[in-house]
Amino acid sequence: LSRAFDNMTESLERRDARIREDEVRIARLNRIYAVLSNINSAIIRIHDRSALLQEACRIAVDEGRFRLAGVSLIDSETFRLVLAHVSGNDKDMLHEIRLRLPDNAADDTHDIGAILLAGEPVVINNLAHDVRAATDRGTALRRGYRSCALLPLQIAGKLTGCLHLYAEEAGFFDDQEMKLLLELAADISLGLEHIENEGKLHNLANYDLLTGLPNRDLFRDRLEQSLSRARHHGRHVAVMMLHIDRLKEINSLHGQHVGDMLLREAARRLRG
């Protein structure tokens, strides 16, 4: 009877432990669902890339309960991922991250930059032992971090940045967690792509493709605004018109491409 009682007690303790683990896991997944919901709401209402990425970091910290969240973007000159947005208590730690990207993902399949370039996430579930840790492990461990995940952000299939998430416990990023977080990164990427396409459409509608100068529609809009302000303040507006002589002759003698070069150079000097 004593042995049976001990076995039953042990079985109940194991069951209670499993229940507690399930409750913790469910609570954590619910936080990620809340992050997904809030991010999607932000994508609908925010049409500026910087504002969207900063809001994503804030939501990850406030709703997802991550200690630290940041977004790094590719510097086109150095081809490194450089921190652009961050939210959390230890913002200075992420500023030290400068991830170099290889020329292509096949250069080093174990390098963090190559993994991200291939569109795959990097999960470090034990900062103390994983040699790939993307930051100063000593600093991260002293500040209480044990796990981190780096999620690629892509536009049209090309890497544009990375979402960094840091957690206090080791082994934090399990398969269920990562499935939701990859969905989160995909949603942010779609939001960024939508903003970029909006910007392209705006440029097509308002700027001349050849010179990059405001087109006739945008000129009229700005002129109307200037006239309205002038009438309100009792001022005058002057409009200067420039004409390039012999442009048709240049196109006929030297070709359309030479005339285009002339227009681009005139536009460059006007901008200057």
Side-chain angles (χ1 to χ4, degrees):
L1 285 174
S2 176
R3 187 178 300 118
F5 180 77
D6 289 342
N7 289 339
M8 183 177 68
T9 300
E10 185 178 341
S11 177
L12 288 172
E13 288 175 348
R14 285 199 300 268
R15 187 198 67 180
D16 290 343
R18 284 197 301 271
I19 289 173
R20 286 193 296 272
E21 288 175 2
D22 288 342
E23 288 174 345
V24 170
R25 185 168 63 254
I26 290 170
R28 197 166 66 195
L29 292 177
N30 282 337
R31 291 201 300 269
I32 303 301
Y33 278 120
V35 171
L36 274 168
S37 176
N38 281 277
I39 288 290
N40 284 319
S41 296
I43 289 170
I44 292 170
R45 72 175 190 274
I46 297 175
H47 301 279
D48 176 78
R49 185 178 77 160
S50 294
L52 176 61
L53 293 176
Q54 188 58 51
E55 180 68 357
C57 294
R58 185 198 67 76
I59 290 171
V61 171
D62 292 350
E63 303 293 338
R65 307 290 176 84
F66 289 99
R67 276 269 307 277
L68 186 63
V71 170
S72 55
L73 299 173
I74 293 179
D75 184 321
S76 58
E77 293 184 1
T78 63
F79 207 48
R80 290 176 179 267
L81 284 169
V82 179
L83 187 72
H85 307 277
V86 64
S87 184
N89 295 326
D90 299 312
K91 297 179 180 180
D92 58 312
M93 190 184 81
L94 279 181
H95 281 286
E96 300 172 8
I97 295 178
R98 292 290 189 277
L99 284 174
R100 182 190 64 82
L101 296 173
D103 292 333
N104 62 73
D107 284 355
D108 185 351
T109 55
H110 299 291
D111 179 76
I112 285 179
I115 295 171
L116 293 172
L117 200 61
E120 298 295 328
V122 176
V123 181
I124 299 175
N125 264 321
N126 194 329
L127 281 165
H129 299 137
D130 197 318
V131 295
R132 300 173 306 158
T135 186
D136 184 344
R137 284 181 291 172
T139 301
L141 291 169
R142 282 195 301 274
R143 298 187 184 193
Y145 300 110
R146 295 296 179 269
S147 304
C148 73
L150 285 70
L151 311 176
L153 302 176
Q154 298 178 311
I155 294 180
K158 293 181 65 176
L159 184 71
T160 189
C162 172
L163 175 64
H164 307 254
L165 298 171
Y166 282 78
E168 295 175 323
E169 55 191 276
F172 184 86
F173 298 97
D174 60 21
D175 291 342
Q176 288 180 299
E177 179 102 5
M178 285 307 302
K179 184 178 179 180
L180 293 176
L181 290 175
L182 288 174
E183 185 178 339
L184 170 67
D187 287 348
I188 295 173
S189 295
L190 283 174
L192 293 175
E193 189 164 352
H194 178 67
I195 290 171
E196 184 172 282
N197 289 336
E198 275 190 336
K200 288 178 180 178
L201 288 174
H202 173 78
N203 283 336
L204 286 172
N206 293 287
Y207 291 87
D208 177 63
L209 288 176
L210 178 64
T211 63
L213 293 176
N215 64 16
R216 185 173 302 175
D217 290 337
L218 186 56
F219 166 73
R220 284 175 173 167
D221 177 72
R222 296 296 184 267
L223 179 59
E224 287 174 3
Q225 291 182 32
S226 297
L227 290 170
S228 177
R229 286 195 298 270
R231 282 192 294 266
H232 180 75
H233 295 289
R235 298 173 181 168
H236 297 284
V237 172
V239 176
M240 180 173 66
M241 180 175 175
L242 302 180
H243 180 74
I244 298 177
D245 289 333
R246 300 172 56 228
L247 181 60
K248 287 184 179 180
E249 185 179 338
I250 290 170
N251 285 332
S252 298
L253 290 174
H254 303 288
Q256 181 80 40
H257 69 285
V258 175
D260 289 348
M261 290 171 59
L262 174 60
L263 289 171
R264 281 194 293 265
E265 176 62 18
R268 187 188 68 81
R269 296 189 183 191
L270 281 171
R271 278 194 299 268

